[in-house]
């Protein structure tokens, strides 16, 4: 069975309010070309199709058109798409019936086992599990599904498991402020909780491509195809996986996806003073349409007009200035972090809420975070209209 494994498209993601449709469109074109060239038997998208619960009509159109093109590039291919923590699980399933006409399976919520175990006749089985809040996940759930797949697998065909979750021991490069415990509010699973009996685990959620330690080279994050944050400072790709038969080691190849607008940090390593950072920005080539952030160290605060000053320097350049990442020297010893208005504006709302909760001894658990994200989406939706 030949598999194209991808995840974390985050369609509709904007970077510091810059629209990324052009980059996302280019990524999707590359995806279509890869399918056309390699003709996989199955195309797996392991969660986080969209960046928000309420993607705009334009973003949904972008996705649905691309999906039809991906199908057309290899009409005999089965396509399986699970929902990630960024997706609305119920909206994910709205078009599940018509999509089946194009061999597309959408798995938004946990369903009957029959619908989550997808047989690709003569090729293999895919056990497709969407993102599920850890506490709603019955113990041994993956194993139960894998056991049922094993029962049906009388021909010894490859078995693939899809999941959107954090597996303990994976590396978090690219996820700001991530800890061993949580990324995006999901508790980490021990690798053993994925069960046994699969030949390859096609994971989503962590944006850095990798084989998970302890997974015997068959538990893999394919990573995001284009970077979502400045810290995803590495090549992005999709994974092409070939499994000869059940019990065989998968053969995995990466196919790089080029981003039309690179995310660039100045200086490329470490930090510098604001004055030097301005020089770097001034000297940045006029004709590169990159996104730029500055890593700047300061003793106290930056001048209040620092952001505007930096923006002005890029006025006649193709690059898009995003923000100044401030590292304050005295912060190391100072527990109570004070923030400038500028820094505050750049913070992710959920992190601010998390900090507030911490200061006030509120347990900001997964349910509360989920509620917060939904409320945030509603506010953003209102803003758009
Ligand atoms: Mn993601």
């Amino acid at each position: 069975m030949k598999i194209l494994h991808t995840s974390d498209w985050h369609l509709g993601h904007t970077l510091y309010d810059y629209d990324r449709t052009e980059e996302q469109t280019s990524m999707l074109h590359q995806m279509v070309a890869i399918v056309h060239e390699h003709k996989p038997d199955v195309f797996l998208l392991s969660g986080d199709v969209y960046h928000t619960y309420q993607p705009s009509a334009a973003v949904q159109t972008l996705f649905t058109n691309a999906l039809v093109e991906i199908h057309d590039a290899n009409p005999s291919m089965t396509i399986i798409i699970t929902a990630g923590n960024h997706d609305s699980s119920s909206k994910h399933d709205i078009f599940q019936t018509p999509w089946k006409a194009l061999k597309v399976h959408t798995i938004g919520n946990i369903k009957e086992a029959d619908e989550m175990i997808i047989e690709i006749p003569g090729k293999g089985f895919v056990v497709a599990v969407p993102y599920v809040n850890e506490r709603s996940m019955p113990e041994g759930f993956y194993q139960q599904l894998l056991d049922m797949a094993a029962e049906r697998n009388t021909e010894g065909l490859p078995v693939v498991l899809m999941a959107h979750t954090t597996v303990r021991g994976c590396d978090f490069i690219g996820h700001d402020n991530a800890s061993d415990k949580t990324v995006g509010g999901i508790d980490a699973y021990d690798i053993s909780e994925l069960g046994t009996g699969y030949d390859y685990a096609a994971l989503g959620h962590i944006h850095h491509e990798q084989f998970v330690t302890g997974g015997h080279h068959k538990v893999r994050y394919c990573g995001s195809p284009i970077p979502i944050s400045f810290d995803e400072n590495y090549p992005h790709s999709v994974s092409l996986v070939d499994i000869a038969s059940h019990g065989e080691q998968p053969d995995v190849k990466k196919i790089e996806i080029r981003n039309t607008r690179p995310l660039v940090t100045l200086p490329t390593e470490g930090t510098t003073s604001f004055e030097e950072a301005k020089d770097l920005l001034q000297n940045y080539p006029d004709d590169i349409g990159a996104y730029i952030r500055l890593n700047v160290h300061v003793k106290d605060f930056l001048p209040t007009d620092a952001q505007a000053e930096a923006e002005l320097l890029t006025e006649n350049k193709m690059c898009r200035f995003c923000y100044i990442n401030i590292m304050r020297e005295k912060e190391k010893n100072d527990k109570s972090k004070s923030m400038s208005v500028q820094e505050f504006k750049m913070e992710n709302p959920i992190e601010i809420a998390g900090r507030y909760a911490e200061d006030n001894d509120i347990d900001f658990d997964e349910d509360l975070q989920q509620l917060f994200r939904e409320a945030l989406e509603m506010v953003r939706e209102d803003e758009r209209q």
Side-chain angles (χ1 to χ4, degrees):
M1 180 158 69
K2 198 169 174 184
I3 303 150
L4 192 148
H5 172 202
T6 181
S7 75
D8 296 272
W9 288 7
H10 287 265
L11 298 178
H13 177 248
T14 57
L15 195 65
Y16 295 88
D17 285 339
Y18 290 113
D19 181 272
R20 302 188 75 190
T21 308
E22 176 198 310
E23 295 157 75
Q24 288 154 357
T25 305
S26 160
M27 177 273 281
L28 294 168
H29 283 154
Q30 293 175 63
M31 209 63 80
V32 174
I34 291 167
V35 169
H36 188 79
E37 186 185 339
H38 295 277
K39 302 274 190 295
D41 301 307
V42 52
F43 183 99
L44 307 180
L45 173 43
S46 299
D48 285 357
V49 177
Y50 296 119
H51 188 64
T52 64
Y53 288 11
Q54 311 260 31
S56 67
V59 170
Q60 293 185 60
T61 306
L62 179 71
F63 173 64
T64 51
N65 285 347
L67 201 49
V68 173
E69 280 182 50
I70 287 168
H71 164 82
D72 288 347
N74 185 19
S76 63
M77 174 177 75
T78 300
I79 300 174
I80 305 170
I81 306 167
T82 57
N85 56 311
H86 278 261
D87 298 307
S88 157
S89 55
S90 41
K91 283 187 192 158
H92 191 88
D93 286 337
I94 293 174
F95 299 113
Q96 59 174 318
T97 308
W99 275 131
K100 276 184 185 152
L102 297 184
K103 297 187 168 195
V104 176
H105 299 254
T106 62
I107 315 283
N109 288 301
I110 294 283
K111 302 171 193 284
E112 295 293 321
D114 268 352
E115 282 184 81
M116 296 175 72
I117 302 169
I118 297 152
E119 181 174 2
I120 295 101
K123 298 286 181 186
F125 290 84
V126 177
V127 174
V129 183
Y131 162 71
V132 188
N133 179 334
E134 201 200 35
R135 266 164 292 165
S136 322
M137 176 75 87
E139 221 186 297
F141 188 66
Y142 292 109
Q143 191 60 64
Q144 281 171 34
L145 291 171
L146 286 165
D147 287 345
M148 291 167 86
E151 241 168 70
R152 288 170 54 182
N153 187 15
T154 49
E155 294 171 74
L157 298 173
V159 176
V160 173
L161 174 66
M162 288 173 88
H164 189 90
T165 188
T166 305
V167 173
R168 219 165 279 145
C170 68
D171 88 61
F172 296 125
I173 299 173
H175 291 268
D176 317 16
N177 306 321
S179 70
D180 198 33
K181 198 89 187 101
T182 59
V183 168
I186 304 186
D187 289 336
Y189 275 104
D190 197 86
I191 201 163
S192 62
E193 287 170 78
L194 295 178
T196 55
Y198 56 83
D199 296 297
Y200 181 77
L203 304 181
H205 191 47
I206 301 298
H207 292 181
H208 185 222
E209 57 86 10
Q210 62 188 284
F211 284 102
V212 178
T213 313
H216 308 286
H217 236 65
K218 57 181 190 177
V219 179
R220 182 169 172 80
Y221 288 103
C222 56
S224 47
I226 60 169
I228 306 306
S229 88
F230 279 96
D231 293 320
E232 292 182 33
N233 184 19
Y234 43 76
H236 290 68
S237 57
V238 296
S239 298
L240 201 62
V241 184
D242 219 327
I243 311 171
S245 64
H246 185 52
E248 293 278 322
Q249 193 67 25
D251 175 54
V252 179
K253 253 201 331 214
K254 285 187 283 186
I255 302 174
E256 194 166 332
I257 305 283
R258 296 171 312 278
N259 188 14
T260 49
R261 280 185 185 271
L263 278 61
V264 172
T265 302
L266 297 175
T268 43
E269 265 176 59
T271 61
T272 188
S273 67
F274 184 49
E275 289 309 311
E276 273 173 39
K278 280 193 290 186
D279 283 345
L280 291 172
L281 196 53
Q282 176 102 60
N283 294 327
Y284 194 78
D286 292 350
D287 57 348
I288 301 179
Y291 296 98
I292 311 272
R293 94 170 154 184
L294 301 177
N295 271 355
V296 167
H297 58 246
V298 290
K299 279 217 166 61
D300 295 300
F301 293 103
L302 277 179
T304 44
D305 58 350
Q307 180 83 12
E309 237 186 291
E311 263 165 29
L312 205 61
L313 288 173
T314 58
E315 220 178 22
N316 297 313
K317 295 181 188 290
M318 278 176 68
C319 66
R320 298 170 163 186
F321 178 71
C322 292
Y323 79 116
I324 306 170
N325 188 24
I326 301 167
M327 307 190 196
R328 202 170 285 120
E329 284 165 17
K330 66 177 184 185
E331 222 168 73
K332 290 169 209 147
N333 311 316
D334 189 3
K335 256 196 96 187
S336 59
K337 186 185 173 187
S338 55
M339 295 173 98
S340 67
V341 173
Q342 185 200 0
E343 286 170 275
F344 191 70
K345 278 187 183 163
M346 292 302 168
E347 279 288 289
N348 183 340
I350 197 152
E351 277 162 18
I352 295 173
R355 214 166 287 163
Y356 175 84
E358 203 181 307
D359 288 346
N360 292 280
D361 282 327
I362 298 164
D363 181 17
F364 198 43
D365 61 9
E366 173 65 23
D367 291 339
L368 211 53
Q369 289 182 31
Q370 195 81 349
L371 263 176
F372 186 85
R373 277 192 214 105
E374 280 167 30
L376 194 63
E377 267 321 307
M378 285 160 75
V379 172
R380 285 186 173 149
E381 181 67 11
D382 280 351
E383 274 178 353
R384 272 200 287 269
Q385 282 161 2

